[in-house]
Every structure is written in structure tokens, then in C-alpha cells.
């Protein structure tokens, strides 16, 4: 029996919605090559995707999740066929998933659903959204409605990121002559 993690609801595009995906996690002693991937919308670990790719690649209801130590480039050639890519946060203090998301969006051009899973808390949602996450499976022992408020904590950003490509000093009007308004002016 596969170890499936189900969330009744997730935050997606800044709204609480019903979730019909399950996350497959390997139990101790299970091998990626032999674990049974059930029918339905399943997000499998990268190791299972790589081991069973010929069998799974024909399914439209398969997503892949990446552990903090796995590189987004490992699924570069498969991004167009994956319905969802998830990044796992085993502990809220592990920030490697932020870089993974940024790389998926900016360097690899991934346009599909990018979901944060694992130890995802309200205080993380705003910075996670800045690096490209658009779906969040928050911890189930916390209120998802309360977590939703984490996306509106700040109204303005200083640094550039996936959601705002220009830093604040480039966006603020300063009375600069029009011929100097291009992004490279003054460099």
C-alpha cells in the first residue's frame, strides 16, 4: 500500500480550493523502481519519476516533487508534460526550496503549477510566492484560512524577484528624463 498524503484543501492562486492531488512518499525500505503508483492525480518523488519514467510519462495525471537536495534541472526535459511540480520543505527552516522554485521559473521557464509541500507555514507564504510558488499545501494542523492571510502581509517589495522583476529604486518615479528610463541607464 503506497504512502499517500492527501490535503483536502490547498491555497492556489490566492484562494482556498479543494485539492484532488495526492503526494506519494516512499516508506523506509521501499524502492523507487518497484513502488506501485496508483491511478489518479499523484505527485511522485523525483526518484520514482526517474526510475519509472517510461511507464509514467504517458500519464497526464502525474506530478513530480523535489527534495531540498535535488536540482530542478533533473526534470528540465519533462517540465512541459508535468501537471504540477512540488518542492518539499521537510522543515520550515530549510530554505533550499526557494532557490529550486526560482530556478524552475526564471531559468527553466516553468509555467505550470508550482506547489510548496511539507512544513509550510503562514509566515512563509509571501516569500514563497515571490520566488514563483502559486500553490501551497500548508500544514494540516494549522488553519488554512489563517495561512491565506500570509500572502497579504506586505504591500510593496524592495528586491526584484519572479513576481516583480524590477527593484523598487527602478520603479519609483524620480523625475528622470525619458531617455534615461531604460533598465540599463546609469550602469
Amino acid at each position: 500500500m503506497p504512502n499517500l498524503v492527501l490535503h483536502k484543501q490547498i491555497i492556489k492562486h490566492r484562494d482556498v480550493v479543494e485539492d484532488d492531488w495526492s503526494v506519494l512518499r516512499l516508506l523506509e525500505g521501499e524502492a523507487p523502481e518497484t513502488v506501485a503508483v496508483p491511478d489518479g492525480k499523484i505527485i511522485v518523488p523525483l526518484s520514482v519519476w526517474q526510475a519509472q519514467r517510461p511507464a509514467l510519462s504517458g500519464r497526464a495525471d502525474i506530478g513530480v516533487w523535489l527534495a531540498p537536495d535535488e536540482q530542478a534541472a533533473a526534470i528540465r526535459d519533462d517540465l512541459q508534460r508535468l501537471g504540477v511540480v512540488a518542492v518539499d520543505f521537510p522543515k520550515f527552516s530549510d530554505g533550499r526550496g526557494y532557490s529550486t522554485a526560482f530556478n524552475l521559473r526564471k531559468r527553466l521557464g516553468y509555467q505550470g503549477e508550482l506547489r510548496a509541500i511539507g512544513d509550510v507555514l503562514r509566515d512563509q507564504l509571501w516569500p514563497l510566492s515571490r520566488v514563483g510558488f502559486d500553490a501551497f499545501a500548508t500544514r494540516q494542523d494549522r488553519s488554512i484560512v489563517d495561512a491565506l492571510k500570509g500572502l497579504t502581509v506586505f504591500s510593496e517589495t524592495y528586491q526584484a524577484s519572479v513576481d516583480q522583476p524590477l527593484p523598487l529604486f527602478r520603479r519609483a518615479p524620480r523625475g528622470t528624463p525619458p531617455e534615461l528610463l531604460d533598465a540599463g541607464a546609469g550602469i
Side-chain angles (χ1 to χ4, degrees), residues 21-37:
W21 288 87
S22 299
V23 176
L24 175 72
R25 295 202 182 258
L26 293 177
L27 297 173
E28 188 171 321
E30 281 187 317
E33 300 82 13
T34 58
V35 68
V37 179

Side-chain angles (χ1 to χ4, degrees), residues 49 52-62 81:
W49 173 254
Q52 299 186 28
R53 188 173 184 270
L56 297 176
S57 62
R59 291 176 53 177
D61 56 356
I62 289 292
R81 73 179 73 176

